[in-house]
Amino acid sequence: MRLLAIDGSGLVASIAIVEDDILLGEYTTGYKKTHSQTLLPMIDEVTRMLELDIDTVDAIAVAAGPGSFTGLRIASATAKGIGLALDKPIISVPTVDALAYNIWGCHDVICPIMDARRGQVYTGLYTFSEKNNFEIIKEQCAIGFEEIAQCINEVGKPVVFLGDGVPVFENQIKDLIKADYSFAPAGFNRQRASAVAVLGQRMYDAGLFENADDHRPEYLRLSQAERERQEKGL
């Protein structure tokens, strides 16, 4: 089973090609370029380096949301375009789940936080069991940081934070979190397409995939433009 994985849900752009349990290649960058400038060239570069025909992938896993509205649209459009052109299925992987999966084997509570603006975060709570089974304590959601802090304090176990929301909410973490906490280091604290691929494989095996034509990103909340229209009663 060979998967192409794409993640453009946040500040980082990442693509990976995984075959069964082997990572063949991964390209991740957080440089100041838009995902429309990076994702397709990154796919082209990795497939060229691997001397791999993109038509040989069996499916495309994409971080389908939540996240940056623009980033999600670009990543989903990229996955959808390749899927339609090659007649390959799409696996829509929850963004926050994949971010948490970066810290495989961590038995503390894992709390990814992505800055959703207006004091909100895209987040969830996760852990790995003693047998390293991935467990979801709280499903991904868009909520205020105070609410996820309360959930963490109720769980009462050590927690690891990661994601682009950490620098934004670091002061609130210090003020509100009562449990012992730590921060994931570089290499683990941002989106990685290889994690999307691993979860994508699990979802594919469970039959959780769709035709490329049916794929849509999962935003979890309205865009700013849509919120402003609602506030104006339009």
Side-chain angles (χ1 to χ4, degrees):
M1 178 69 180
R2 182 178 289 172
L3 285 179
L4 166 65
I6 302 170
D7 195 327
S9 59
L11 300 176
V12 167
S14 184
I15 72 100
I17 295 177
V18 172
E19 186 172 278
D20 298 326
D21 61 347
I22 299 174
L23 175 62
L24 299 182
E26 185 173 28
Y27 194 154
T28 301
T29 178
Y31 190 66
K32 301 175 183 179
K33 288 188 177 181
T34 65
H35 296 339
S36 60
Q37 295 174 291
T38 56
L39 287 177
L40 282 174
M42 288 161 63
I43 293 170
D44 181 65
E45 178 68 13
V46 170
T47 54
R48 185 184 64 82
M49 290 292 292
L50 295 175
E51 298 180 347
L52 181 148
D53 188 339
I54 192 67
D55 189 47
T56 62
V57 302
D58 297 294
I60 303 156
V62 61
S68 158
F69 283 79
T70 301
L72 289 177
R73 283 193 289 266
I74 294 169
S76 286
T78 301
K80 188 166 185 167
I82 295 172
L84 288 171
L86 303 180
D87 192 24
K88 305 292 182 180
I90 303 290
I91 309 161
S92 296
V93 178
T95 296
V96 184
D97 293 19
L99 190 51
Y101 208 86
N102 280 341
I103 318 181
W104 185 89
C106 177
H107 298 159
D108 291 344
V109 174
I110 304 168
C111 182
I113 50 175
M114 300 171 63
D115 185 16
R117 311 291 176 154
R118 295 191 172 189
Q120 286 198 318
V121 291
Y122 299 123
T123 188
L125 296 179
Y126 307 82
T127 193
F128 286 86
S129 70
E130 291 184 1
K131 296 183 179 180
N132 286 328
N133 293 316
F134 187 53
E135 297 181 354
I136 300 175
I137 300 170
K138 181 178 180 60
E139 292 187 352
Q140 66 174 20
C141 54
I143 56 177
F145 183 80
E146 294 81 3
E147 187 173 345
I148 194 63
Q150 181 179 349
C151 292
I152 292 169
N153 292 334
E154 288 173 356
V155 173
K157 294 181 179 180
V159 58
V160 180
F161 289 101
L162 70 158
D164 61 35
V166 168
V168 179
F169 291 92
E170 189 168 0
N171 288 335
Q172 288 93 322
I173 291 172
K174 293 177 181 177
D175 292 340
L176 298 176
I177 301 302
K178 307 304 180 185
D180 292 336
Y181 64 84
S182 58
F183 301 110
F188 302 93
N189 63 12
R190 295 292 188 273
Q191 285 85 344
R192 293 283 299 273
S194 51
V196 175
V198 174
L199 285 181
Q201 177 70 70
R202 291 178 52 182
M203 293 175 67
Y204 185 89
D205 292 342
L208 300 175
F209 55 88
E210 59 195 341
N211 295 325
D213 192 50
D214 296 328
H215 171 69
R216 300 289 186 277
E218 177 57 65
Y219 298 115
L220 285 191
R221 69 173 193 170
L222 298 175
S223 68
Q224 181 177 345
E226 290 170 320
R227 291 195 302 270
E228 289 175 352
R229 282 200 297 268
Q230 281 193 353
E231 291 168 358
K232 294 176 181 177
L234 300 178

